[in-house]
Amino acid sequence: MTVVRRSGVLILAAATGAVLLAALGGEALTGGDPVRTATTSWAGPAPGLPLGADGLGRDVLARVLAGGRDLTLISLAAAGTATLLGVAGGLWTGWSRGRSARAVAASADLLLALPLLLVALLAVVAVPGPAAVIVGTVLGGTPLTLRVVADATAGAGRTGYVEAALSRGERAPAVLLREVLPAHAALVGADFGQRLVLAVQLTAALNVLGFGPPPPAPDWAAMLRENLQGLGLNPAAAIAPALALTVLSGAVAALSHALSSRGGGS
Amino acid sequence: MSPGERGLTVRGLTVADSTGTAIVDGLDLRIAPGEVVALVGPSGAGKTTVLRAVLGALQEGLSRTAGRVEWHGSPVRAPRRWRRRNVGFLGQDPASALHPLLDARAAVEEALPGAARRAGAAERALAGVGLDPADIGRRRPHQLSGGQAQRVALARALAANPELLVLDEPTSALDGAALDLALELVRRRRGDGRSLTLLVSHDMGVVSELADHVVRLGVRPRDRQDRGRNGATGRRPGGAPVPVARARDAGRPPNIDSAPPPEEPGVVRPSGAALAVRGLAVAQPPGGAPLLAGVDLHLAPGGSVAVLGPSGCGKSTLLRALAGLHPVESGNVTVLGEALPWAVAERDPAALRALALVGQDPLDALNPARRVATAVARPLRTLRGLTRSAARAEALRLLAAVGLEPGLGRRYPGALSGGQRRRVALARALAGGPALLLADEITAALDPRTADLILDLIDGLRRDTGLAVLMVTHDTAVAARADRVLHIAGRRPHPTSFRDDERRRSVDAP
């Protein structure tokens, strides 16, 4: 059973990687031009246009394949920043019992009380869309990562392997990076998945509200909004980008879940 | 065997790891009601794996590939529910198994069925293993000593009077008085026509005292080769050395250690005593009630001192304080003639190299994310400055010296048994080439043969390199090899008479 679970994680990781790759490089898979008007408005699926056309007669398949790249890149950058800050802060606050570490941990907890969407909306007024996603994910996600990593670090501080490292004179940064972090790598990986899902949702939400790339650039969230009006004429035009968003979030979330249940066992 | 027979029957049990290598191969086991069956075998033979397979709770990476487990004649279908109703389990590392947020009383109460929770059943269970419910009952696992935690876990396993009791090394951290209590509790189950007990122990005294049948686990062919090689190269000193200083120490009144003991002839001394401690006071918890006070210790290079005492008296804390890992209230320490700061973070590299601690809990002694050989190679690189390849070769040599085959070096700690982990931790401690080894129950999870190998190795190092050893133990065989035996009573260690018979008595009746 455990063997099944381990290979399950590998399969999930491969599948998630494939989904991310497709989202990033999907444009290369098709010869279609995502911004050229190919046929009439809301034309249904036809030979050469498997998913039909949108309100301006553009190829929906080409737009779906091209519409995930920016969204995924922004989400990866945002989740990466949030996890990096959270892990660094968590290692520090979990290890040091000093006053400043406690103050950082307390203010991170305070940040959690802020409504995330409101913060993101305020940020998007002040800075461009991608930066707003990063700000939102960091404000909403970093405190969670920090808490989890700080707890794990504090627990690891009492283990024999950390004490052995201290006893051979390793300094705190070496202990944290060589001993504590590797021991909790699965936890951090799972946490990164959670932050990525949050970032994808935030990017999609802001893009639906119109803060995404300006038209005619393809984008899943913007397509969802534009093509809802044609749902009766060509349902595929709205369903395909929605499905793409779901598969991306779902794959990352499933991998994250598998990683976290594995990390608990070791 | 008729299918309707009562008791536990295991037939042809085979457990394999993820590569398909059999860890346990075709084991048959039968426990009738009222019987106690002991499982014995060398370290790494798969004893704990058998217990977990019988309980249907194998650890990650292992799976049961053949065989069946029958309870009262029918196969166990829902192991979780079966365990909940019928089984009491005491694992190998009780301190790690107890929930960190539950105090001892709550931990025992949790194991009781709902109806029995009131009426002080948990308190009675704690008192039954010799722990004061009013004091120990309110402590959480990190405030318990190794032996106390083991007894809490035993009380927990016994609380609901389970039909099947499974004990994995239940006595490894117990002193004599606590051991007698624990043995009595298990003995009561014998012959009552209902209770079954499955026991893993390295202590032949415990096994012969309790068991109706003994099942000996075979050595896998791979290990057998390995043992043959170790047997050929292992050191075989002719018994424990008998330095002259011993007789004088025994006659000296406790703690009036004003003059260092006379030099031992034939031992090259680096400079001064390996360890000298004056007026050490330690509190548990730090800043709270004193656990040890006015401790004076003196240890010559090549010397060996065993520390005994009832569980919870501060043996492990003494070692941790010397290693700089437990805050010290007062006192001072010199190692090889150099005064040392207490906190490990303030010690200079030479002092760090001079001292090495092997802790009591083998479960978290090794980083789960580091391969065994990497863990042992690290101190070789940081403390002895070896190159990567030299450190690797030396790490494999050290692993072989503690009786572990080279193939184990590539494994992660999760794939090692408790005894193997303890030996890796010892190899890692010896890697820095220490002048003083602080060893906390290093033979607790080892079979007698492996324990002898380890103790021979340490005795060899004492002779050849002047390694001084301060070891905490409850094992008379280990204590018998020491130059001096100290017994902790009334917050400080007292020298115990060196004569063998008296030492035995002091161990058995603290």
PDB file of all heavy atoms in Angstrom, chain A residues 182-209:
ATOM      1  N   PRO A 182      16.019  20.132   4.978  1.00  0.00           N
ATOM      2  CA  PRO A 182      15.863  18.857   4.264  1.00  0.00           C
ATOM      3  C   PRO A 182      14.889  17.916   4.965  1.00  0.00           C
ATOM      4  O   PRO A 182      14.124  17.209   4.311  1.00  0.00           O
ATOM      5  CB  PRO A 182      17.275  18.271   4.257  1.00  0.00           C
ATOM      6  CG  PRO A 182      18.167  19.426   4.418  1.00  0.00           C
ATOM      7  CD  PRO A 182      17.435  20.413   5.265  1.00  0.00           C
ATOM      8  N   ALA A 183      14.910  17.921   6.306  1.00  0.00           N
ATOM      9  CA  ALA A 183      14.017  17.020   7.033  1.00  0.00           C
ATOM     10  C   ALA A 183      12.559  17.385   6.801  1.00  0.00           C
ATOM     11  O   ALA A 183      11.668  16.556   6.958  1.00  0.00           O
ATOM     12  CB  ALA A 183      14.336  17.039   8.521  1.00  0.00           C
ATOM     13  N   HIS A 184      12.303  18.641   6.428  1.00  0.00           N
ATOM     14  CA  HIS A 184      10.915  19.068   6.225  1.00  0.00           C
ATOM     15  C   HIS A 184      10.653  19.472   4.778  1.00  0.00           C
ATOM     16  O   HIS A 184       9.765  20.280   4.504  1.00  0.00           O
ATOM     17  CB  HIS A 184      10.576  20.211   7.178  1.00  0.00           C
ATOM     18  CG  HIS A 184      10.622  19.805   8.614  1.00  0.00           C
ATOM     19  ND1 HIS A 184      11.710  20.049   9.418  1.00  0.00           N
ATOM     20  CD2 HIS A 184       9.757  19.120   9.375  1.00  0.00           C
ATOM     21  CE1 HIS A 184      11.498  19.535  10.614  1.00  0.00           C
ATOM     22  NE2 HIS A 184      10.316  18.965  10.614  1.00  0.00           N
ATOM     23  N   ALA A 185      11.439  18.893   3.843  1.00  0.00           N
ATOM     24  CA  ALA A 185      11.301  19.277   2.440  1.00  0.00           C
ATOM     25  C   ALA A 185       9.902  18.962   1.897  1.00  0.00           C
ATOM     26  O   ALA A 185       9.325  19.764   1.157  1.00  0.00           O
ATOM     27  CB  ALA A 185      12.364  18.571   1.610  1.00  0.00           C
ATOM     28  N   ALA A 186       9.354  17.807   2.284  1.00  0.00           N
ATOM     29  CA  ALA A 186       8.032  17.435   1.787  1.00  0.00           C
ATOM     30  C   ALA A 186       6.983  18.446   2.256  1.00  0.00           C
ATOM     31  O   ALA A 186       6.088  18.833   1.501  1.00  0.00           O
ATOM     32  CB  ALA A 186       7.663  16.026   2.261  1.00  0.00           C
ATOM     33  N   LEU A 187       7.146  18.872   3.511  1.00  0.00           N
ATOM     34  CA  LEU A 187       6.216  19.859   4.071  1.00  0.00           C
ATOM     35  C   LEU A 187       6.275  21.165   3.269  1.00  0.00           C
ATOM     36  O   LEU A 187       5.248  21.738   2.911  1.00  0.00           O
ATOM     37  CB  LEU A 187       6.602  20.117   5.528  1.00  0.00           C
ATOM     38  CG  LEU A 187       5.818  21.184   6.274  1.00  0.00           C
ATOM     39  CD1 LEU A 187       4.500  20.599   6.729  1.00  0.00           C
ATOM     40  CD2 LEU A 187       6.604  21.686   7.469  1.00  0.00           C
ATOM     41  N   VAL A 188       7.495  21.623   2.978  1.00  0.00           N
ATOM     42  CA  VAL A 188       7.644  22.880   2.246  1.00  0.00           C
ATOM     43  C   VAL A 188       7.101  22.743   0.819  1.00  0.00           C
ATOM     44  O   VAL A 188       6.433  23.637   0.309  1.00  0.00           O
ATOM     45  CB  VAL A 188       9.131  23.319   2.230  1.00  0.00           C
ATOM     46  CG1 VAL A 188       9.339  24.494   1.296  1.00  0.00           C
ATOM     47  CG2 VAL A 188       9.581  23.686   3.627  1.00  0.00           C
ATOM     48  N   GLY A 189       7.355  21.572   0.200  1.00  0.00           N
ATOM     49  CA  GLY A 189       6.831  21.333  -1.148  1.00  0.00           C
ATOM     50  C   GLY A 189       5.315  21.379  -1.164  1.00  0.00           C
ATOM     51  O   GLY A 189       4.696  22.013  -2.038  1.00  0.00           O
ATOM     52  N   ALA A 190       4.708  20.715  -0.192  1.00  0.00           N
ATOM     53  CA  ALA A 190       3.251  20.712  -0.101  1.00  0.00           C
ATOM     54  C   ALA A 190       2.731  22.133   0.111  1.00  0.00           C
ATOM     55  O   ALA A 190       1.732  22.552  -0.475  1.00  0.00           O
ATOM     56  CB  ALA A 190       2.805  19.808   1.041  1.00  0.00           C
ATOM     57  N   ASP A 191       3.426  22.873   0.943  1.00  0.00           N
ATOM     58  CA  ASP A 191       3.010  24.242   1.235  1.00  0.00           C
ATOM     59  C   ASP A 191       3.119  25.119  -0.007  1.00  0.00           C
ATOM     60  O   ASP A 191       2.251  25.958  -0.264  1.00  0.00           O
ATOM     61  CB  ASP A 191       3.880  24.787   2.368  1.00  0.00           C
ATOM     62  CG  ASP A 191       3.306  26.054   2.937  1.00  0.00           C
ATOM     63  OD1 ASP A 191       2.329  25.941   3.689  1.00  0.00           O
ATOM     64  OD2 ASP A 191       3.821  27.135   2.613  1.00  0.00           O
ATOM     65  N   PHE A 192       4.176  24.911  -0.801  1.00  0.00           N
ATOM     66  CA  PHE A 192       4.319  25.667  -2.041  1.00  0.00           C
ATOM     67  C   PHE A 192       3.129  25.399  -2.965  1.00  0.00           C
ATOM     68  O   PHE A 192       2.606  26.321  -3.602  1.00  0.00           O
ATOM     69  CB  PHE A 192       5.629  25.296  -2.732  1.00  0.00           C
ATOM     70  CG  PHE A 192       5.792  25.916  -4.088  1.00  0.00           C
ATOM     71  CD1 PHE A 192       6.104  27.260  -4.213  1.00  0.00           C
ATOM     72  CD2 PHE A 192       5.621  25.157  -5.239  1.00  0.00           C
ATOM     73  CE1 PHE A 192       6.241  27.842  -5.459  1.00  0.00           C
ATOM     74  CE2 PHE A 192       5.757  25.731  -6.483  1.00  0.00           C
ATOM     75  CZ  PHE A 192       6.070  27.074  -6.600  1.00  0.00           C
ATOM     76  N   GLY A 193       2.671  24.155  -3.020  1.00  0.00           N
ATOM     77  CA  GLY A 193       1.502  23.824  -3.831  1.00  0.00           C
ATOM     78  C   GLY A 193       0.282  24.622  -3.394  1.00  0.00           C
ATOM     79  O   GLY A 193      -0.463  25.169  -4.229  1.00  0.00           O
ATOM     80  N   GLN A 194       0.090  24.703  -2.085  1.00  0.00           N
ATOM     81  CA  GLN A 194      -1.041  25.477  -1.562  1.00  0.00           C
ATOM     82  C   GLN A 194      -0.934  26.947  -1.968  1.00  0.00           C
ATOM     83  O   GLN A 194      -1.918  27.570  -2.369  1.00  0.00           O
ATOM     84  CB  GLN A 194      -1.075  25.379  -0.030  1.00  0.00           C
ATOM     85  CG  GLN A 194      -1.255  23.987   0.504  1.00  0.00           C
ATOM     86  CD  GLN A 194      -2.662  23.499   0.273  1.00  0.00           C
ATOM     87  OE1 GLN A 194      -3.622  24.203   0.570  1.00  0.00           O
ATOM     88  NE2 GLN A 194      -2.797  22.321  -0.296  1.00  0.00           N
ATOM     89  N   ARG A 195       0.268  27.507  -1.860  1.00  0.00           N
ATOM     90  CA  ARG A 195       0.461  28.913  -2.243  1.00  0.00           C
ATOM     91  C   ARG A 195       0.216  29.100  -3.733  1.00  0.00           C
ATOM     92  O   ARG A 195      -0.323  30.112  -4.166  1.00  0.00           O
ATOM     93  CB  ARG A 195       1.881  29.378  -1.897  1.00  0.00           C
ATOM     94  CG  ARG A 195       2.276  29.278  -0.435  1.00  0.00           C
ATOM     95  CD  ARG A 195       1.486  30.217   0.442  1.00  0.00           C
ATOM     96  NE  ARG A 195       0.239  29.605   0.898  1.00  0.00           N
ATOM     97  CZ  ARG A 195       0.147  28.783   1.930  1.00  0.00           C
ATOM     98  NH1 ARG A 195       1.189  28.490   2.637  1.00  0.00           N
ATOM     99  NH2 ARG A 195      -1.010  28.251   2.275  1.00  0.00           N
ATOM    100  N   LEU A 196       0.596  28.092  -4.552  1.00  0.00           N
ATOM    101  CA  LEU A 196       0.406  28.193  -5.996  1.00  0.00           C
ATOM    102  C   LEU A 196      -1.080  28.210  -6.332  1.00  0.00           C
ATOM    103  O   LEU A 196      -1.529  28.994  -7.176  1.00  0.00           O
ATOM    104  CB  LEU A 196       1.113  27.018  -6.693  1.00  0.00           C
ATOM    105  CG  LEU A 196       1.181  27.092  -8.210  1.00  0.00           C
ATOM    106  CD1 LEU A 196       1.844  28.387  -8.643  1.00  0.00           C
ATOM    107  CD2 LEU A 196       1.962  25.905  -8.769  1.00  0.00           C
ATOM    108  N   VAL A 197      -1.846  27.374  -5.655  1.00  0.00           N
ATOM    109  CA  VAL A 197      -3.295  27.366  -5.887  1.00  0.00           C
ATOM    110  C   VAL A 197      -3.879  28.730  -5.528  1.00  0.00           C
ATOM    111  O   VAL A 197      -4.683  29.302  -6.280  1.00  0.00           O
ATOM    112  CB  VAL A 197      -3.961  26.245  -5.056  1.00  0.00           C
ATOM    113  CG1 VAL A 197      -5.469  26.391  -5.097  1.00  0.00           C
ATOM    114  CG2 VAL A 197      -3.536  24.885  -5.568  1.00  0.00           C
ATOM    115  N   LEU A 198      -3.455  29.271  -4.394  1.00  0.00           N
ATOM    116  CA  LEU A 198      -3.933  30.598  -3.975  1.00  0.00           C
ATOM    117  C   LEU A 198      -3.587  31.652  -5.033  1.00  0.00           C
ATOM    118  O   LEU A 198      -4.430  32.479  -5.399  1.00  0.00           O
ATOM    119  CB  LEU A 198      -3.293  30.972  -2.629  1.00  0.00           C
ATOM    120  CG  LEU A 198      -3.565  32.398  -2.134  1.00  0.00           C
ATOM    121  CD1 LEU A 198      -4.963  32.499  -1.567  1.00  0.00           C
ATOM    122  CD2 LEU A 198      -2.542  32.827  -1.089  1.00  0.00           C
ATOM    123  N   ALA A 199      -2.353  31.587  -5.547  1.00  0.00           N
ATOM    124  CA  ALA A 199      -1.912  32.586  -6.521  1.00  0.00           C
ATOM    125  C   ALA A 199      -2.703  32.458  -7.823  1.00  0.00           C
ATOM    126  O   ALA A 199      -3.081  33.469  -8.432  1.00  0.00           O
ATOM    127  CB  ALA A 199      -0.413  32.434  -6.779  1.00  0.00           C
ATOM    128  N   VAL A 200      -2.965  31.216  -8.258  1.00  0.00           N
ATOM    129  CA  VAL A 200      -3.753  31.015  -9.485  1.00  0.00           C
ATOM    130  C   VAL A 200      -5.146  31.603  -9.304  1.00  0.00           C
ATOM    131  O   VAL A 200      -5.672  32.311 -10.173  1.00  0.00           O
ATOM    132  CB  VAL A 200      -3.828  29.509  -9.834  1.00  0.00           C
ATOM    133  CG1 VAL A 200      -4.882  29.265 -10.913  1.00  0.00           C
ATOM    134  CG2 VAL A 200      -2.484  29.005 -10.299  1.00  0.00           C
ATOM    135  N   GLN A 201      -5.736  31.325  -8.141  1.00  0.00           N
ATOM    136  CA  GLN A 201      -7.083  31.860  -7.881  1.00  0.00           C
ATOM    137  C   GLN A 201      -7.082  33.379  -7.874  1.00  0.00           C
ATOM    138  O   GLN A 201      -7.976  34.023  -8.429  1.00  0.00           O
ATOM    139  CB  GLN A 201      -7.599  31.335  -6.535  1.00  0.00           C
ATOM    140  CG  GLN A 201      -8.020  29.885  -6.593  1.00  0.00           C
ATOM    141  CD  GLN A 201      -8.346  29.346  -5.224  1.00  0.00           C
ATOM    142  OE1 GLN A 201      -8.089  30.005  -4.215  1.00  0.00           O
ATOM    143  NE2 GLN A 201      -8.895  28.141  -5.196  1.00  0.00           N
ATOM    144  N   LEU A 202      -6.059  33.950  -7.245  1.00  0.00           N
ATOM    145  CA  LEU A 202      -5.984  35.409  -7.151  1.00  0.00           C
ATOM    146  C   LEU A 202      -5.796  36.034  -8.534  1.00  0.00           C
ATOM    147  O   LEU A 202      -6.459  37.018  -8.890  1.00  0.00           O
ATOM    148  CB  LEU A 202      -4.816  35.774  -6.225  1.00  0.00           C
ATOM    149  CG  LEU A 202      -4.874  37.133  -5.553  1.00  0.00           C
ATOM    150  CD1 LEU A 202      -6.144  37.287  -4.756  1.00  0.00           C
ATOM    151  CD2 LEU A 202      -3.664  37.296  -4.643  1.00  0.00           C
ATOM    152  N   THR A 203      -4.884  35.425  -9.330  1.00  0.00           N
ATOM    153  CA  THR A 203      -4.659  35.940 -10.685  1.00  0.00           C
ATOM    154  C   THR A 203      -5.952  35.872 -11.496  1.00  0.00           C
ATOM    155  O   THR A 203      -6.337  36.834 -12.169  1.00  0.00           O
ATOM    156  CB  THR A 203      -3.577  35.104 -11.405  1.00  0.00           C
ATOM    157  OG1 THR A 203      -2.541  34.815 -10.486  1.00  0.00           O
ATOM    158  CG2 THR A 203      -3.017  35.843 -12.590  1.00  0.00           C
ATOM    159  N   ALA A 204      -6.622  34.713 -11.413  1.00  0.00           N
ATOM    160  CA  ALA A 204      -7.854  34.541 -12.173  1.00  0.00           C
ATOM    161  C   ALA A 204      -8.891  35.563 -11.737  1.00  0.00           C
ATOM    162  O   ALA A 204      -9.554  36.198 -12.571  1.00  0.00           O
ATOM    163  CB  ALA A 204      -8.378  33.116 -11.985  1.00  0.00           C
ATOM    164  N   ALA A 205      -9.015  35.761 -10.421  1.00  0.00           N
ATOM    165  CA  ALA A 205     -10.012  36.704  -9.916  1.00  0.00           C
ATOM    166  C   ALA A 205      -9.732  38.112 -10.437  1.00  0.00           C
ATOM    167  O   ALA A 205     -10.644  38.810 -10.917  1.00  0.00           O
ATOM    168  CB  ALA A 205     -10.010  36.688  -8.387  1.00  0.00           C
ATOM    169  N   LEU A 206      -8.478  38.545 -10.372  1.00  0.00           N
ATOM    170  CA  LEU A 206      -8.143  39.901 -10.829  1.00  0.00           C
ATOM    171  C   LEU A 206      -8.342  40.031 -12.334  1.00  0.00           C
ATOM    172  O   LEU A 206      -8.800  41.065 -12.823  1.00  0.00           O
ATOM    173  CB  LEU A 206      -6.701  40.250 -10.438  1.00  0.00           C
ATOM    174  CG  LEU A 206      -6.472  40.449  -8.938  1.00  0.00           C
ATOM    175  CD1 LEU A 206      -5.028  40.809  -8.653  1.00  0.00           C
ATOM    176  CD2 LEU A 206      -7.390  41.520  -8.363  1.00  0.00           C
ATOM    177  N   ASN A 207      -7.995  38.954 -13.077  1.00  0.00           N
ATOM    178  CA  ASN A 207      -8.162  39.008 -14.531  1.00  0.00           C
ATOM    179  C   ASN A 207      -9.630  39.025 -14.930  1.00  0.00           C
ATOM    180  O   ASN A 207     -10.012  39.695 -15.892  1.00  0.00           O
ATOM    181  CB  ASN A 207      -7.437  37.838 -15.194  1.00  0.00           C
ATOM    182  CG  ASN A 207      -5.933  37.979 -15.090  1.00  0.00           C
ATOM    183  OD1 ASN A 207      -5.445  38.935 -14.473  1.00  0.00           O
ATOM    184  ND2 ASN A 207      -5.207  37.049 -15.674  1.00  0.00           N
ATOM    185  N   VAL A 208     -10.463  38.278 -14.202  1.00  0.00           N
ATOM    186  CA  VAL A 208     -11.909  38.313 -14.472  1.00  0.00           C
ATOM    187  C   VAL A 208     -12.427  39.730 -14.264  1.00  0.00           C
ATOM    188  O   VAL A 208     -13.263  40.240 -15.006  1.00  0.00           O
ATOM    189  CB  VAL A 208     -12.646  37.304 -13.568  1.00  0.00           C
ATOM    190  CG1 VAL A 208     -14.127  37.633 -13.504  1.00  0.00           C
ATOM    191  CG2 VAL A 208     -12.450  35.888 -14.094  1.00  0.00           C
ATOM    192  N   LEU A 209     -11.881  40.414 -13.261  1.00  0.00           N
ATOM    193  CA  LEU A 209     -12.320  41.776 -12.978  1.00  0.00           C
ATOM    194  C   LEU A 209     -11.745  42.773 -13.985  1.00  0.00           C
ATOM    195  O   LEU A 209     -12.021  43.962 -13.900  1.00  0.00           O
ATOM    196  CB  LEU A 209     -11.905  42.169 -11.561  1.00  0.00           C
ATOM    197  CG  LEU A 209     -12.645  41.421 -10.449  1.00  0.00           C
ATOM    198  CD1 LEU A 209     -12.081  41.782  -9.085  1.00  0.00           C
ATOM    199  CD2 LEU A 209     -14.130  41.719 -10.494  1.00  0.00           C
TER     200      LEU A 209
END
